[in-house]
């Protein structure tokens, strides 16, 4: 690959080149992909509207680049390895040739149902070979996929389907996650009942369990696949044609449908996968994220397949049937590169190191982490026990909106520093801004992390709501992309991500909008108002703490139970509260704004250092909340 980083000198040279001449830099990388028609211009942009276009008027197809391009040399190489939740169930593999055939067939199935370029398709599936087939088939015919994590409730699924007006839902009968069984089809049915746009539902037989069936709408995956052609020409897509929508939580309102487009996403994700994981031919790559999140999209599916790699899909959880499962999977499939989240690392660290005596992790070469700040202790544990001090750790910082990794060390190249995402990748121009929007120059500083120049895989809009896109990311600091994160730049110019500076909390790597949770809590008939904040949690990174004002006296135990049920129903089990405190009132300013800063301090257990409370309407409220804190 062009401009593949092998030494620190390479990194410095490519970085310089990418800043001084971004267009020629990205053009040289884009040329390695397969384009039906070349672009007329590499980049057009302004951050005011904002309007960003890469590889303008170029035509390409992502599925063709993930599959057809590899058939000449790699037809028989394994593309996917599927590992069941249950270790006794045999793993499955699929070669590039087999995957190609399945994707072509499923593309023809979609076409036979009348799906056309630009149609939205909702994918609500377990971690299976078929979820990858479904995603690739969408991109092959130019349909826009919206993958919804299979842990979301029917209400959340319905919100997402309705927002994008999806005409087709692809799901499965059900699946097991650890000890739990999730009856996906019945959740999908509940959602689809309130989704008028859904014409048909394709159901994969996965767990072989009894399900209810609606003959006018439901279709079996395996029946549809019986008599379809194995040939399907990829749809030539404009570089800026929509590729997929992925919903993510922000500080206010409903989740946003972040929209990514075709050419830039492909080039950036392909390039960063190869470099950030130092992928070499034949490596087995395992990303433990679910396909329902951006990490699953970019570095479980598209990044590896664009590079002709072998990628592992794991259906289960790190602690089932026991806490050795991750290490067993690594040993069994001889995984070379492991990409996981700090939460999983911390959860496994609790069990101690005895387990490693019986596990062979010698295949590992590179370790990655993503999704939340990794504390030094977890970093060291990962480095010493999993990587045996041999494997560099790449701490990758990025977001749903960035499409790909923006700040990360190149393993074996960038000198590491625990808990630091270190340096920006080529093409990425991060800056730290102060509250007034001035760039903070020099090192040993801290501020709000923004990016001042476009990169190919950045989100282009919020689906059907460009104004919201502008407001959320380009208005706080005009002419900058604002990430919502705070960061430090240390003496050496290394970045350390501190965490969100907005009202988003990060629980086990899941982004949760506090506003969204408050909306659900406020639905309870006894609740007048509520405020949700995050607080440090040993395993999950952040826990969820809700302060709730009620009408009259309440039975607290029943209240907690009912609110948790509401949250599970409306969002999903991963958003359950860790603590709930009934309070007489919330600390508000005279203009009625809740002072979350104070609530955060109380939730953290830091009640002596609450800062200035003089602007509060009723400062005595704070003392009351403090004394009853959980
Ligand atoms: C956080 C996940 C510290 C950050 C790819 C960001 C991180 C949010 C890191 C995006 C990291 C992600 N160190 N924090 N290496 N990676 N984050 O959209 O707050 O699910 O804004 O994308 O996760 O979460 P998202």
């Amino acid at each position: 690959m062009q401009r593949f980083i092998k030494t620190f000198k390479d990194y410095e040279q490519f970085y310089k080149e990418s800043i001084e001449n971004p267009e020629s830099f990205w053009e040289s990388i884009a040329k390695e992909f397969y384009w039906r028609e070349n672009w007329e211009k590499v980049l057009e942009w302004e951050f005011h509207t904002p309007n960003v276009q890469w590889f303008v008027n170029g035509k390409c197809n992502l599925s063709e680049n993930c599959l057809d391009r590899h058939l000449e040399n790699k037809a028989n190489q394994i593309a996917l390895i599927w590992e069941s939740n249950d270790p006794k169930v045999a793993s499955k593999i699929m070669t590039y040739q087999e995957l190609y055939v399945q994707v072509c067939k499923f593309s023809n199935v979609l076409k036979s149902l009348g799906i056309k370029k630009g149609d939205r398709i909702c994918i609500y599936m377990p971690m299976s070979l078929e979820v990858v087939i479904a995603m690739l088939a969408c991109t092959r015919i130019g349909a826009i996929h919206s993958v919804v994590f299979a842990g979301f409730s029917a209400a959340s699924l319905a919100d997402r389907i309705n927002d994008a007006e999806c005409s087709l839902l692809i799901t499965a009968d059900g699946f097991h996650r650890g000890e739990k069984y999730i009856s996906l089809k019945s959740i999908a049915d509940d959602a689809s009942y309130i989704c008028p746009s859904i014409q048909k539902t394709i159901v994969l037989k996965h767990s072989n369990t009894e399900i209810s069936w609606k003959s006018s709408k439901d279709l079996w995956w395996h029946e549809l696949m019986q008599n379809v052609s194995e040939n399907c020409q990829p749809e030539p897509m404009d570089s800026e044609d929509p590729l997929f929508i992925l919903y993510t939580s922000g500080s206010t309102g409903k989740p946003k449908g972040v929209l990514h487009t075709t050419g830039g996403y492909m080039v950036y994700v392909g390039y960063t996968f190869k470099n950030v994981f130092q992928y070499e031919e034949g490596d087995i790559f395992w990303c433990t994220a679910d396909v329902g999140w951006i990490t699953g999209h970019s570095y479980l599916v598209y990044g590896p397949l664009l590079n002709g790699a072998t990628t592992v899909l794991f259906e289960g959880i790190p602690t089932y049937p026991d806490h050795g499962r991750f290490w067993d999977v690594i040993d069994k499939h001889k995984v070379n590169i492991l990409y996981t989240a700090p939460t999983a690392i911390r959860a496994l660290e609790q069990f101690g190191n005895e387990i490693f005596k019986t596990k062979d992790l010698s295949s590992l070469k590179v370790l990655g982490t993503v999704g939340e700040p990794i504390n030094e202790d977890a970093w060291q544990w990962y480095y010493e026990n999993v990587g045996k001090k041999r494997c560099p750790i790449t701490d990758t910082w990025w977001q749903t909106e960035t499409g790909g990794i923006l700040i990360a060390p190149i393993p074996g190249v960038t000198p590491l520093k625990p808990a630091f995402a270190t340096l920006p990748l080529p093409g990425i121009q991060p800056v730290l801004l102060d509250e007034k929007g001035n760039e903070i120059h020099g090192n040993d500083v801290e501020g709000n992390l923004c990016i001042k120049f476009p990169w190919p895989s950045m989100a282009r809009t919020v689906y059907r709501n460009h104004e919201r896109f502008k407001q959320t990311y380009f208005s706080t600091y005009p002419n900058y992309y604002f990430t919502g994160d705070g960061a430090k730049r240390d003496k050496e110019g290394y970045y350390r991500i501190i965490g969100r500076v907005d009202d988003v909390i990060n629980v086990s790597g899941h982004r949760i909008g506090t506003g969204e949770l408050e909306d659900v809590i406020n639905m309870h008939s006894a609740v007048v108002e509520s405020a949700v904040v995050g607080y440090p949690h040993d395993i999950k990174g952040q826990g969820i703490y809700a302060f709730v004002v009620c009408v009259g006296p309440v039975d607290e135990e029943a209240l907690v139970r009912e609110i948790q049920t509401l949250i599970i129903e409306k969002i999903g089990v991963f958003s359950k509260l860790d603590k709930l405190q009934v309070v007489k009132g919330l600390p508000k300013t005279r203009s009625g704004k809740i002072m979350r800063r104070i609530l955060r301090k109380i939730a953290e257990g830091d009640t002596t250092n609450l800062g200035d409370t003089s602007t509060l309407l009723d400062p005595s409220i704070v003392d009351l909340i403090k004394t009853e804190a959980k």
Side-chain angles (χ1 to χ4, degrees):
M1 175 176 264
Q2 286 286 315
R3 289 166 177 76
F4 179 56
I5 307 163
K6 265 289 158 210
T7 63
F8 198 68
K9 232 174 151 184
D10 289 347
Y11 166 75
E12 289 176 317
Q13 186 201 319
F14 300 149
Y15 188 76
K16 188 160 175 276
E17 210 183 308
S18 75
I19 305 305
E20 287 173 355
N21 210 338
E23 301 195 11
S24 71
F25 177 84
W26 286 114
E27 184 159 48
S28 72
I29 292 161
K31 280 186 180 151
E32 300 198 11
F33 295 85
Y34 182 71
W35 295 79
R36 291 278 170 138
E37 274 176 45
N38 265 338
W39 49 90
E40 287 161 9
K41 202 172 169 206
V42 178
L43 171 64
E44 209 158 277
W45 75 286
E46 46 84 7
F47 274 179
H48 175 70
T49 312
N51 172 29
V52 174
Q53 296 177 47
W54 281 91
F55 313 112
V56 183
N57 290 334
K59 306 272 181 287
C60 63
N61 181 289
L62 183 58
S63 118
E64 183 174 31
N65 274 278
C66 287
L67 301 170
D68 314 37
R69 200 160 56 100
H70 304 310
L71 292 185
E72 197 182 333
N73 299 320
K74 287 187 172 172
N76 296 322
Q77 190 197 296
I78 296 169
L80 305 175
I81 299 177
W82 176 79
E83 175 70 25
S84 167
N85 177 63
D86 179 352
K88 293 195 286 299
V89 170
S91 347
K92 293 185 210 165
I93 54 168
M94 201 172 255
T95 64
Y96 272 91
Q97 175 68 34
E98 288 164 340
L99 182 60
Y100 165 79
V101 169
Q102 293 298 312
V103 169
C104 286
K105 286 177 74 176
F106 198 66
S107 301
N108 286 326
V109 165
L110 295 178
K111 282 186 175 175
S112 74
L113 296 174
I115 304 294
K116 307 175 302 300
K117 177 177 172 180
D119 289 351
R120 277 83 52 217
I121 296 184
C122 180
I123 299 180
Y124 183 63
M125 293 177 80
M127 292 283 279
S128 52
L129 298 176
E130 289 81 1
V131 73
V132 179
I133 295 169
M135 289 166 78
L136 286 166
C138 288
T139 66
R140 194 162 190 89
I141 67 166
I144 304 168
H145 61 64
S146 164
V147 182
V148 177
F149 170 55
F152 275 113
S153 68
S156 290
L157 173 62
D159 276 350
R160 286 156 175 76
I161 293 175
N162 286 331
D163 186 72
E165 291 184 280
C166 299
S167 53
L168 177 72
L169 173 62
I170 308 175
T171 189
D173 42 4
F175 68 103
H176 289 89
R177 188 186 281 137
E179 303 275 0
K180 261 193 251 155
Y181 177 70
I182 290 116
S183 46
L184 219 49
K185 173 67 162 59
S186 74
I187 306 171
D189 282 346
D190 290 347
S192 131
Y193 189 65
I194 46 169
C195 296
S197 59
I198 294 289
Q199 308 279 320
K200 296 281 177 212
T201 302
I202 299 181
V203 187
L204 173 75
K205 203 178 253 259
H206 183 75
S207 55
N208 280 311
T209 33
E210 285 270 314
I211 53 170
S212 66
W213 197 257
K214 214 176 186 172
S215 54
S216 59
K217 261 196 172 176
D218 297 342
L219 302 160
W220 280 117
W221 175 295
H222 60 272
E223 286 178 4
L224 292 167
M225 289 287 264
Q226 258 161 21
N227 290 313
V228 277
S229 155
E230 295 184 359
N231 296 312
C232 176
Q233 281 304 309
E235 181 77 29
M237 302 292 284
D238 188 89
S239 177
E240 284 301 328
D241 272 336
L243 179 65
F244 64 80
I245 301 170
L246 187 56
Y247 285 84
T248 190
S249 296
S251 16
T252 52
K254 287 195 177 238
K256 299 180 282 281
V258 170
L259 184 100
H260 284 286
T261 58
T262 307
Y265 178 84
M266 170 177 87
V267 170
Y268 193 80
V269 166
Y271 179 71
T272 51
F273 173 79
K274 169 96 178 131
N275 280 286
V276 174
F277 300 105
Q278 289 285 295
Y279 167 75
E280 291 171 337
E281 289 294 310
D283 281 349
I284 311 283
F285 178 81
W286 181 23
C287 164
T288 67
D290 193 279
V291 280
W293 309 114
I294 191 70
T295 308
H297 281 57
S298 300
Y299 298 109
L300 192 157
V301 178
Y302 294 122
L305 296 180
L306 281 166
N307 283 278
T310 301
T311 178
V312 178
L313 272 138
F314 175 45
E315 189 190 27
I317 56 170
T319 48
Y320 179 81
D322 59 46
H323 65 273
R325 189 67 196 280
F326 263 22
W327 324 128
D328 289 336
V329 174
I330 291 169
D331 188 1
K332 178 171 175 190
H333 299 295
K334 301 288 168 247
V335 171
N336 304 110
I337 306 166
L338 171 68
Y339 190 32
T340 191
T343 281
I345 299 166
R346 289 190 295 261
L348 294 171
E349 184 184 355
Q350 288 185 103
F351 295 101
N353 304 340
E354 195 62 18
I355 187 107
F356 293 109
K357 290 192 177 144
T358 55
K359 312 285 172 188
D360 180 6
L361 304 184
S362 59
S363 57
L364 287 174
K365 298 196 299 193
V366 169
L367 303 175
T369 144
V370 61
E372 43 176 326
I374 182 164
N375 45 311
E376 279 189 56
D377 180 58
W379 194 100
Q380 289 295 356
W381 184 83
Y382 195 29
Y383 184 71
E384 285 167 23
N385 297 288
V386 183
K388 316 287 183 209
K389 300 187 185 167
R390 286 186 297 109
C391 308
I393 296 180
T394 180
D395 176 359
T396 64
W397 173 82
W398 59 298
Q399 312 177 293
T400 305
E401 298 84 343
T402 69
I405 299 165
L406 299 196
I407 306 184
I410 305 296
V413 169
T414 312
L416 301 175
K417 194 179 274 186
F420 279 75
T422 76
L423 297 171
L425 297 182
I428 305 306
Q429 302 190 31
V431 288
L432 298 178
L433 300 191
D434 65 19
E435 293 302 326
K436 294 199 186 96
N438 300 313
E439 276 190 32
I440 306 171
H441 297 284
N443 287 340
D444 203 9
V445 290
E446 185 177 328
N448 291 333
L449 180 61
C450 294
I451 316 286
K452 70 171 179 190
F453 194 85
W455 63 99
S457 69
M458 66 188 291
R460 301 298 196 261
T461 193
V462 166
Y463 189 65
R464 286 186 182 158
N465 199 343
H466 199 64
E467 186 52 32
R468 193 167 174 206
F469 184 63
K470 176 178 175 161
Q471 280 304 324
T472 313
Y473 307 106
F474 296 90
S475 296
T476 319
Y477 302 113
N479 292 317
Y480 293 95
Y481 166 78
F482 177 41
T483 65
D485 280 324
K488 282 184 184 165
R489 190 166 52 224
D490 78 353
K491 290 196 180 73
E492 290 167 286
Y494 270 25
Y495 286 88
R496 176 176 192 156
I497 311 301
I498 302 162
R500 303 290 305 194
V501 291
D502 54 9
D503 293 324
V504 172
I505 49 186
N506 192 325
V507 181
S508 301
H510 298 316
R511 253 168 85 166
I512 297 175
T514 48
E516 215 184 324
L517 262 177
E518 288 159 9
D519 285 348
V520 174
I521 297 171
N522 297 349
M523 284 176 187
H524 191 284
S525 56
V527 174
V528 180
E529 62 176 342
S530 60
V532 169
V533 297
Y535 69 95
H537 187 286
D538 283 350
I539 307 289
K540 299 197 273 190
Q542 282 192 296
I544 310 178
Y545 195 129
F547 297 89
V548 178
V549 183
C550 293
V551 266
V554 286
D555 170 352
E556 271 199 49
E557 250 176 53
L559 181 78
V560 171
R561 230 182 12 251
E562 286 157 18
I563 288 181
Q564 299 286 35
T565 310
L566 261 180
I567 292 172
I568 295 170
E569 251 172 46
K570 300 289 175 195
I571 307 180
V573 71
F574 60 89
S575 290
K576 267 174 69 175
L577 305 180
D578 295 281
K579 291 181 182 178
L580 182 148
Q581 182 182 349
V582 176
V583 293
K584 291 250 156 26
L586 297 169
K588 288 190 183 168
T589 60
R590 291 195 178 88
S591 59
K593 227 175 148 229
I594 298 172
M595 282 189 86
R596 290 169 185 279
R597 178 177 59 77
I598 294 178
L599 294 176
R600 265 184 229 123
K601 285 273 180 201
I602 295 175
E604 280 166 20
D606 177 3
T607 51
T608 51
N609 196 11
L610 294 180
D612 183 14
T613 54
S614 62
T615 56
L616 286 178
L617 188 60
D618 176 7
S620 69
I621 277 284
V622 175
D623 293 326
L624 255 176
I625 301 178
K626 248 165 47 177
T627 46
E628 290 169 6
K630 300 271 161 175

